[in-house]
Amino acid sequence: SFASCEYRVLAFYLVKPVKDPQQEVLQHKAWCRSNGLVGRVWVSRDGLNVQLSGLTLACERYADFVARRFASFRRAEPIVCKMDAVPELAFPRLRVKAKKLVSLNEQLLKGGIDMSDRGEDLEPAEWRQKLRGLSRGEPGKL
C-alpha cells in the first residue's frame, strides 16, 4: 500500500466559466511552480482539467487554491477530486496551457454533473482477477 507515501496524484475536472484562460494559466503556473507541483493543467473557457503530482499538503492546498479562485459570490465549495498516494512524483515536469477541453453536452452542464457517480477503486490484484473473469466469459463489467 502507498498510503504512507508523501506524494500524491491529484486529478479533477472543474466545469465553471473562465473569463480569461490566458490569465488563469499564468496564475496556476506560478502557484504550481512555487509549490513544487508537476503534471498538467488545461484551462479553457469551460473550466479546468487537472492532473498534478506533488507532496500531499501541496496537492491539498492546490485544490483549496482552485476552490477559492472559482468560488461563487458566497463561499468557496470544495473541489471534488481524486487524490491517490504514490511513492514518487508521477510526472516529469509541469505544463499549464490554455487548451480546448472535450466538448460537453449543454444539457449535461445545465443539469450538473454528479462526480460521485463513478466506479470503485480496485487494487491491482482485484483488477487482474476481474480481467481474467471476463476473458473466461464470466459476467461483469469494468
Side-chain angles (χ1 to χ4, degrees):
S1 169
F2 294 131
S4 63
C5 293
E6 62 182 329
Y7 295 104
R8 297 290 183 266
V9 171
L10 172 69
F12 64 87
Y13 282 98
L14 179 67
V15 181
K16 293 217 177 198
V18 177
K19 290 179 186 172
D20 185 348
Q22 290 297 339
Q23 182 60 35
E24 206 62 37
V25 163
L26 296 174
Q27 296 293 319
H28 288 260
K29 190 179 290 186
W31 199 99
C32 290
R33 281 187 177 151
S34 68
N35 288 275
L37 293 178
V38 294
R40 67 164 180 76
V41 179
W42 296 160
V43 181
S44 83
R45 292 205 174 279
D46 298 318
L48 305 175
N49 180 338
V50 174
Q51 289 185 341
L52 292 170
S53 184
L55 293 172
T56 302
L57 187 58
C59 288
E60 291 170 351
R61 286 182 176 165
Y62 178 77
D64 291 340
F65 164 78
V66 173
R68 285 190 312 276
R69 286 196 65 74
F70 290 90
S72 64
F73 62 92
R74 293 185 195 165
R75 63 182 165 83
E77 296 175 15
I79 300 293
V80 177
C81 60
K82 183 166 174 45
M83 191 160 35
D84 293 316
V86 291
E88 60 189 18
L89 291 173
F91 308 106
R93 65 187 170 282
L94 176 65
R95 294 179 294 157
V96 183
K97 296 180 180 180
K99 192 168 185 168
K100 195 171 188 179
L101 297 181
V102 174
S103 63
L104 298 169
N105 181 310
E106 278 299 316
Q107 294 291 27
L108 180 65
L109 289 176
K110 287 179 184 173
I113 298 173
D114 181 3
M115 296 299 283
S116 66
D117 185 17
R118 56 183 286 270
E120 65 182 85
D121 292 329
L122 298 175
E123 292 295 323
E126 293 174 286
W127 177 250
R128 282 190 296 276
Q129 182 180 359
K130 288 193 176 285
L131 289 174
R132 283 190 201 111
L134 288 175
S135 69
R136 290 190 301 264
E138 294 175 10
K141 54 183 177 175
L142 297 174

